[in-house]
Amino acid sequence: MSDVTAPYAKGTPCWVDLMVPDQRAALDFYRNLLGWQGEVGPPESGGYALCTLRGRAVAGIMAAVNPDGTAMAEPPPPAWTTYLATPDVDAAADAVTKADGSVLVPPMDVMDLGRMAVAQDPTGAVFGLWQARDFPGSQVVRETGAVAWNELNTGDTDTAADFYDSVLGMGASTMKGGDGYFSLDVGGRPVGGMQSLDRLEPGLPAHWLTYFAVADVDRTADTLAAHGGTVLKPPFDMMAGRMAVVQDPQGAAFAVINPIPEEGS
């Protein structure tokens, strides 16, 4: 078990959520695939659904609606958003602008839970910022059904590394044996990864990719396909374990991985 009880350090991926046209369908899909529990939330939270494992929060799923509850005329493409922890979301949003990024959703309070913003780095990757109050973020990580890794895929690793260092104090270092793969570090500890889009299929935009841990990647890929999802990159072995890149029925891409146990775990 990997329960999180301490606050997330500045720059650490601390939460993921998904906005989709059909929230109920997404809740059912991820329940079948990853074993989550979650229901449409109350009106005062915009219906935001908190998904759980063992009663502990792992992710959020929301409907693509306006603040007044009406459907968005032009909703963004469904995508998993990675949120990075910050003690001051307003200061971080200012830092994003000064570092040539863009603030897409200005800082706003989320009830008593925290304060958030959504931004875009200079290479085009969208991410969230989260300032915790009553809700620190993911309460379970790196176990089956929970987030295992967050990865930035970018067309300019140097620019991206400078940006995240400037805004959130994240370092970047070449990962041993990674063949051009970088770790994103907080306090000298890897908290995420980064690689060039040159390593991926042509035409992909810069993006953050969420990895979910599963016990059997091949079986999960088969289950996903049987429930209307798409396998974008079939299961394969790599240095951190066996993984696949997939897409849910509404078009949100993510990865599933059966990670090699860390030393000492």
Side-chain angles (χ1 to χ4, degrees):
M1 296 182 182
S2 300
D3 288 354
V4 178
T5 55
Y8 283 89
K10 179 181 178 180
T12 306
C14 63
W15 187 242
V16 296
D17 68 15
L18 173 67
M19 179 184 286
V20 287
D22 191 334
Q23 183 186 27
R24 180 72 264 168
L27 288 167
D28 292 342
F29 173 81
Y30 286 98
R31 177 183 290 114
N32 291 329
L33 191 73
L34 298 174
W36 295 350
Q37 298 299 311
E39 297 297 333
V40 176
E44 58 267 27
S45 68
Y48 193 94
L50 198 66
C51 300
T52 63
L53 280 174
R54 299 187 285 103
R56 309 275 288 170
V58 291
I61 296 178
M62 57 185 150
V65 296
N66 297 308
D68 63 1
T70 59
M72 290 183 176
E74 296 183 9
W80 280 100
T81 298
T82 292
Y83 289 78
L84 306 176
T86 175
D88 187 334
V89 76
D90 295 83
D94 288 342
V96 164
T97 303
K98 291 176 182 176
D100 296 326
S102 303
V103 177
L104 305 180
V105 178
M108 59 182 289
D109 289 327
V110 183
M111 299 181 290
D112 294 329
L113 302 176
R115 191 163 170 80
M116 65 157 286
V118 178
Q120 187 174 44
D121 72 29
T123 75
V126 174
F127 64 99
L129 294 163
W130 181 250
Q131 177 185 337
R133 289 175 181 161
D134 291 349
F135 183 71
S138 300
Q139 297 172 324
V140 182
V141 296
R142 296 188 299 277
E143 73 169 62
T144 299
V147 173
W149 192 243
N150 302 82
E151 176 184 270
L152 173 62
N153 295 281
T154 173
D156 188 335
T157 55
D158 289 339
T159 295
D162 289 344
F163 172 82
Y164 289 98
D165 183 24
S166 173
V167 174
L168 293 163
M170 300 174 76
S173 57
T174 302
M175 187 170 282
K176 184 178 180 181
D179 187 27
Y181 196 88
F182 300 86
S183 67
L184 295 173
D185 309 321
V186 170
R189 181 178 67 88
V191 298
M194 178 175 68
Q195 65 178 340
S196 171
L197 289 171
D198 292 342
R199 296 163 56 95
L200 306 178
E201 57 269 29
L204 286 176
H207 63 280
W208 279 87
L209 181 68
T210 299
Y211 286 62
F212 295 110
V214 297
D216 187 324
V217 170
D218 297 74
R219 182 176 297 175
T220 299
D222 289 343
T223 299
L224 174 135
H227 286 83
T230 303
V231 178
L232 302 177
K233 190 168 185 179
F236 65 99
D237 294 317
M238 39 82 84
M239 66 174 185
R242 187 164 178 80
M243 67 168 286
V245 181
V246 298
Q247 191 175 54
D248 72 23
Q250 298 186 64
F254 59 99
V256 291
I257 185 169
N258 181 8
I260 296 172
E262 297 179 7
E263 292 184 12
S265 64

mmCIF file of all heavy atoms in Angstrom, residues 20 37 47 59 77 103 118 123-124 138 172 226 235 239:
data_model
loop_
_atom_site.group_PDB
_atom_site.id
_atom_site.type_symbol
_atom_site.label_atom_id
_atom_site.label_comp_id
_atom_site.label_asym_id
_atom_site.label_seq_id
_atom_site.Cartn_x
_atom_site.Cartn_y
_atom_site.Cartn_z
ATOM 1 N N VAL A 20 -14.911 15.263 -19.290
ATOM 2 C CA VAL A 20 -15.470 14.517 -20.415
ATOM 3 C C VAL A 20 -16.912 14.952 -20.684
ATOM 4 O O VAL A 20 -17.592 15.449 -19.795
ATOM 5 C CB VAL A 20 -15.455 12.993 -20.137
ATOM 6 C CG1 VAL A 20 -14.056 12.431 -20.217
ATOM 7 C CG2 VAL A 20 -16.090 12.693 -18.787
ATOM 8 N N GLN A 37 -14.243 3.561 -7.176
ATOM 9 C CA GLN A 37 -15.597 3.891 -6.762
ATOM 10 C C GLN A 37 -15.766 5.402 -6.897
ATOM 11 O O GLN A 37 -14.854 6.157 -6.569
ATOM 12 C CB GLN A 37 -15.842 3.453 -5.319
ATOM 13 C CG GLN A 37 -15.728 1.951 -5.100
ATOM 14 C CD GLN A 37 -16.741 1.167 -5.918
ATOM 15 O OE1 GLN A 37 -17.931 1.485 -5.916
ATOM 16 N NE2 GLN A 37 -16.284 0.143 -6.618
ATOM 17 N N GLY A 47 -20.930 18.934 -9.598
ATOM 18 C CA GLY A 47 -21.063 17.523 -9.939
ATOM 19 C C GLY A 47 -19.747 16.770 -9.968
ATOM 20 O O GLY A 47 -19.706 15.591 -10.332
ATOM 21 N N ALA A 59 -8.428 10.153 -7.925
ATOM 22 C CA ALA A 59 -8.593 10.933 -9.156
ATOM 23 C C ALA A 59 -9.963 11.594 -9.151
ATOM 24 O O ALA A 59 -10.844 11.232 -8.366
ATOM 25 C CB ALA A 59 -8.447 10.038 -10.395
ATOM 26 N N PRO A 77 -10.980 18.904 -25.819
ATOM 27 C CA PRO A 77 -10.863 17.450 -26.004
ATOM 28 C C PRO A 77 -10.638 16.766 -24.662
ATOM 29 O O PRO A 77 -9.900 17.280 -23.818
ATOM 30 C CB PRO A 77 -9.634 17.310 -26.918
ATOM 31 C CG PRO A 77 -9.492 18.637 -27.584
ATOM 32 C CD PRO A 77 -9.965 19.651 -26.592
ATOM 33 N N VAL A 103 -1.595 31.315 -18.599
ATOM 34 C CA VAL A 103 -2.591 30.909 -17.608
ATOM 35 C C VAL A 103 -3.922 30.764 -18.327
ATOM 36 O O VAL A 103 -4.480 31.739 -18.819
ATOM 37 C CB VAL A 103 -2.680 31.927 -16.460
ATOM 38 C CG1 VAL A 103 -3.786 31.524 -15.482
ATOM 39 C CG2 VAL A 103 -1.342 32.035 -15.728
ATOM 40 N N VAL A 118 -5.162 26.511 -14.052
ATOM 41 C CA VAL A 118 -4.705 25.662 -15.161
ATOM 42 C C VAL A 118 -3.825 26.508 -16.054
ATOM 43 O O VAL A 118 -4.161 27.660 -16.367
ATOM 44 C CB VAL A 118 -5.894 25.073 -15.954
ATOM 45 C CG1 VAL A 118 -5.385 24.237 -17.126
ATOM 46 C CG2 VAL A 118 -6.786 24.237 -15.050
ATOM 47 N N THR A 123 6.072 25.182 -24.252
ATOM 48 C CA THR A 123 6.117 24.194 -25.331
ATOM 49 C C THR A 123 4.730 23.678 -25.690
ATOM 50 O O THR A 123 4.594 22.863 -26.604
ATOM 51 C CB THR A 123 7.032 23.011 -24.960
ATOM 52 O OG1 THR A 123 6.374 22.157 -24.003
ATOM 53 C CG2 THR A 123 8.355 23.492 -24.380
ATOM 54 N N GLY A 124 3.686 24.113 -24.955
ATOM 55 C CA GLY A 124 2.317 23.753 -25.298
ATOM 56 C C GLY A 124 1.640 22.753 -24.386
ATOM 57 O O GLY A 124 0.450 22.477 -24.561
ATOM 58 N N SER A 138 -3.972 13.425 -4.129
ATOM 59 C CA SER A 138 -4.092 11.962 -4.171
ATOM 60 C C SER A 138 -3.702 11.353 -2.838
ATOM 61 O O SER A 138 -2.642 11.656 -2.291
ATOM 62 C CB SER A 138 -3.204 11.397 -5.279
ATOM 63 O OG SER A 138 -3.562 11.907 -6.543
ATOM 64 N N ALA A 172 15.688 18.843 -13.475
ATOM 65 C CA ALA A 172 15.647 17.821 -14.518
ATOM 66 C C ALA A 172 17.020 17.180 -14.620
ATOM 67 O O ALA A 172 18.040 17.881 -14.639
ATOM 68 C CB ALA A 172 15.241 18.421 -15.856
ATOM 69 N N ALA A 226 -12.410 -4.111 -24.992
ATOM 70 C CA ALA A 226 -13.734 -4.723 -24.944
ATOM 71 C C ALA A 226 -14.803 -3.747 -24.461
ATOM 72 O O ALA A 226 -15.993 -3.950 -24.730
ATOM 73 C CB ALA A 226 -13.703 -5.947 -24.030
ATOM 74 N N PRO A 235 0.947 -3.435 -25.414
ATOM 75 C CA PRO A 235 1.850 -3.723 -24.301
ATOM 76 C C PRO A 235 3.276 -4.043 -24.753
ATOM 77 O O PRO A 235 3.475 -4.778 -25.723
ATOM 78 C CB PRO A 235 1.193 -4.940 -23.637
ATOM 79 C CG PRO A 235 -0.270 -4.762 -23.924
ATOM 80 C CD PRO A 235 -0.314 -4.198 -25.310
ATOM 81 N N MET A 239 12.241 -0.189 -19.265
ATOM 82 C CA MET A 239 13.120 -0.288 -18.096
ATOM 83 C C MET A 239 12.355 -0.249 -16.775
ATOM 84 O O MET A 239 12.810 -0.791 -15.771
ATOM 85 C CB MET A 239 14.163 0.835 -18.121
ATOM 86 C CG MET A 239 13.604 2.226 -17.963
ATOM 87 S SD MET A 239 14.907 3.455 -17.843
ATOM 88 C CE MET A 239 13.941 4.931 -17.531
#
